[in-house]
Amino acid sequence: MHEGMKSRIHPTLSFTPNVVEEGGRHWTDDEVRALLCVWADRSIRERLKSTLRNKCIFQEMARQMQRKFGVVRNWKQCRTKYKNLKYDYKTAKGAHVAGGSGAGNPGKYMKFFEEVEAILLDQGLENGTMEMQKKLYNGEMGPGRLQAPAGNSSDNEIVIEIDDDDNSDDYELDGDIEAQWRGAEAHLTHTDSCSSDHFHMVAVSDTGRNWSDQEVRALIQVWSDQRICKQLESSTRKRDIFVQISNRLKQQGIERDWKQCHTKYKNLKYLYRSLQRGRTDEADPRRLMRFYDEVEAIMNHASNGSTHDGAADAAYSGALATPDGSEENHEDEVYLTKTNTVAEVVEEMDERTCSSDSVSSVATDVASNANDPKLHAVKDNRLDQHHRLMSMSEREDTSSANRGMKRKAVDQDFALQTPAKTTNTGRDFADQAEGQCKEEQEHIPIIKIKSVCSMAHPNPPSQRQDCLRSSRAMASTSELNIGQKLNEGKTKQIFELVDQPGLVLVQSKDQITAGNAVRKDQMEGKAAIANKTTSCVFKLLQESGIKTAFVKQHSDTAFVAAHCEMIPIEWVCRRVATGSFLKRNPGVKEGYCFTPLKMETFFKDDANNDPQWSEEQLLEAKFCLAGLTIGQCEVDIMNRSTVAIFEILEKAWATQNCTLVDMKIEFGVNVKTQEIVLADVIDNDSWRLWPAGDRSQQKDKQVYRDLKEVTPEAMQMVKRNFEWVSERVKLLLEPQASGRVVVLMGSTSDMAHCEKIRKACTSYRIPCVLRVTSAHKGPDETLRIKAEYEGDGIPTVFVAVAGRSNGLGPVMSGNTAYPVINCPPLTPDWGAQDVWSSLRMPSGLGCSTVLSPEAAAKFAAQIFGLSDHLVWCKLRASMLNTWVALKLADQKLQACSL
């Protein structure tokens, strides 16, 4: 572009880039002209139409504006202005058509209407950008040619910007941030008092899916919980509360993060209070807002039951943070950052099945019977069915044709208003749009709310009913009836399951701590990582045969477990000397290897920094939990179990060339069975892991403990370590080598004996094959079968089952390098004599003889356990369970004798 054209933009515009970006300042006419010139470029227009993710396009537009015109606007601001220009054009166009001869009506013009129309309709741009520039700066295009009807005054607008970047930084919800937004409430109050008309809402975009009625009802149900209400009223920092709300929604199969829950909560309150202030006889709030009665019940209960402090009052005003985490307060606009817009009452209508008669009747029922308890069940049932149907059919509305029909219906049903101001969204809200259909969806109109009805849905009833059936099927499998919170620790919460007595839900938190929470930080995603790690570890232990409280993984961040009363002791098992052990035992060098394992116990007492306890102290405490008194027998069982659990996990991690240095675990007493079981969690907070035995490569929480300063970069490193562990722990469930047992029987009369061998092998998850052959009667066939199993390369153990004179085992042993086990079925009459044919082998043969079929299978498992850690783990757990059974039998016998 030549210099003369630049000078027409603004004679005083500097071409030196201004490094200071004003996040909230409005666009001047010259800046808009610069944007239009860049937008008019054919390559830019084509890319905007065809590209799914267009952040890079707006970055290029921002660079061109700065390079060619000296206009400094970041890509987010360019994208926002681009969206609003398109929206303004469609609004003005629609208002002109709806209002007749718009040029003769009083009202506000849309600036640059003809320029935007030329770009959108590709008119007058045959010669590219230069043609557009001539039209802009030679006076061929005026400031505007269309206006909206005068009845829609932009003074009433509430401009809402959308935060839709999934990678946005976390922000704390505290009283300081909320207090800075009190001015927003004052502005809204002034707006309501100055106009009897309905208020307008501008939504720039909403790439995140809108809240369905089912999701909103679930959120309101959680919000109405008395404990949640009290926490929201009394707390100034609410992030943990909304994490809790999000988790409870996830337990019902609703995937909403804490930010989305917080935003929706704020917007429900804001919309309710706005309707309260502006309520008139002509505008029944129940027709303007879904769930008005439910929110009113909660708000009235809160106002009657308690008072708010300053921070809570600020929160009550509907204040939110801006996209970049800062706070702004403009005297003529309110900017609300959200994942799903405040105007969702409109957006839900935009994608909802509803007719004027059906919804009006529901609204009438709600209004007239709100205080009639006898009709609540009928009302809730009707609303629930109606809302569920609408929310499911909403998800089916993804075709471009349906979008066009819905947008047309909205344009016909609502009065539209041109926005007076535009703002910086701060997030890429076009990431999920597609092609030409994307342009129809890239905006959400300024809507003057008239009603929640008169919306036809394009989906046929049969389609909606299929969706409804699918929804109910999913709900029945994913939802849990969550009861009261039983306990809460630093990294998890425990909830009772109302419909499943004896079971609880263990919900992880996105919190990492060190030094008994002296250091405490939020690590986004930690709950899912910890839950994944714990679930895999408990599955490994359970498959091995260790008794645990774990039942099943329920969601990404929670698992179901048996309800236990926890024994307040941490059992610590060490293979390598490091950490606090060196401080308590000066003179021991780091890296000293304990054989046997070093066991320590610590009493859980944060106030006293979890002091170490001796066995005598533990016994003298005489803990009594779920009816079980912790005595010597119980202490011995927990001691032995800790060693076995450590050795199983040590063996498993060795397959990943990773050293399990030490570990802490906790036990509980199952309230139903009164058994001592492994409880709590085992995740990356519970152990030290050194890949290749190298401390400098440690992947556990010690990395977080060692941080001198907690920075975002450091926390990312810690998170990567946790993710590394969660990915590797899945591999612990995979066998390292496959093997099989081939049982050769001399006759089918030995089938019962061989079935016992196969059953025992199955318990170790070792495949077992039964074959019939006789070394005496068909030696060639016996050797052929042997060769068949030697040829495929699968490690094999042969078990020879032959009564009377056993030639099968010796023949196999003399002709194969694979292990051979004799397991003859002995008879009462000749058994004492027949066994010698299995015991006295010719020289050079190495087959063993085991009389018990179960013992023969175990012997084979021990051979495979040398290379398959899963088989070894089962053998190790079997040893523990045998020892525990003997210990309990002895205790019972002693009790009877006494």
Side-chain angles (χ1 to χ4, degrees), residues 720-732:
R720 285 194 297 270
N721 286 341
F722 276 61
E723 290 173 336
W724 184 93
V725 172
S726 69
E727 290 300 321
R728 290 298 190 281
V729 79
K730 292 190 300 184
L731 303 178
L732 306 186

Side-chain angles (χ1 to χ4, degrees), residues 11 73 110 132 199 208 211 322 335 454 470 521 545 623 691 708 782 827 892:
R73 289 284 186 174
M110 175 202 168
M132 177 65 181
F199 56 88
W211 284 69
T322 52
Y335 299 80
S454 302
S470 174
D521 290 286
F623 294 118
K708 294 181 179 179
T782 299
T827 58
K892 187 178 294 185

Side-chain angles (χ1 to χ4, degrees), residues 798-841:
F798 292 101
V799 178
V801 177
R804 300 184 181 181
S805 178
N806 177 21
L808 190 56
V811 169
M812 289 293 296
S813 181
N815 290 275
T816 184
Y818 285 161
V820 178
I821 302 171
N822 289 320
C823 188
L826 301 180
T827 58
D829 48 356
W830 287 93
Q833 289 77 22
D834 293 343
V835 72
W836 289 105
S837 61
S838 299
L839 294 175
R840 288 182 60 80
M841 294 285 105

Side-chain angles (χ1 to χ4, degrees), residues 634-700:
E634 289 72 26
V635 171
D636 291 343
I637 289 174
M638 288 186 284
N639 202 325
R640 278 287 183 125
S641 298
T642 302
V643 172
I645 292 166
F646 184 93
E647 290 179 347
I648 288 172
L649 295 177
E650 180 184 41
K651 185 77 171 180
W653 275 113
T655 65
Q656 303 301 312
N657 191 27
C658 198
T659 300
L660 182 61
V661 175
D662 54 34
M663 179 187 69
K664 67 176 181 180
I665 58 176
E666 296 181 36
F667 293 91
V669 180
N670 189 314
V671 297
K672 293 186 69 175
T673 64
Q674 292 189 326
E675 285 184 301
I676 292 179
V677 296
L678 176 66
D680 196 55
V681 298
I682 299 180
D683 55 22
N684 210 31
D685 293 358
S686 307
W687 52 34
R688 285 186 175 91
L689 289 174
W690 295 355
D694 185 358
R695 187 180 185 277
S696 64
Q697 300 183 44
Q698 59 189 355
K699 298 293 185 181
D700 51 84

Side-chain angles (χ1 to χ4, degrees), residues 400-410 412 455-458:
S400 60
N402 288 349
R403 292 192 190 104
M405 292 175 66
K406 289 183 292 180
R407 184 60 62 197
K408 183 177 180 181
V410 170
Q412 292 174 349
M455 293 294 296
H457 202 283

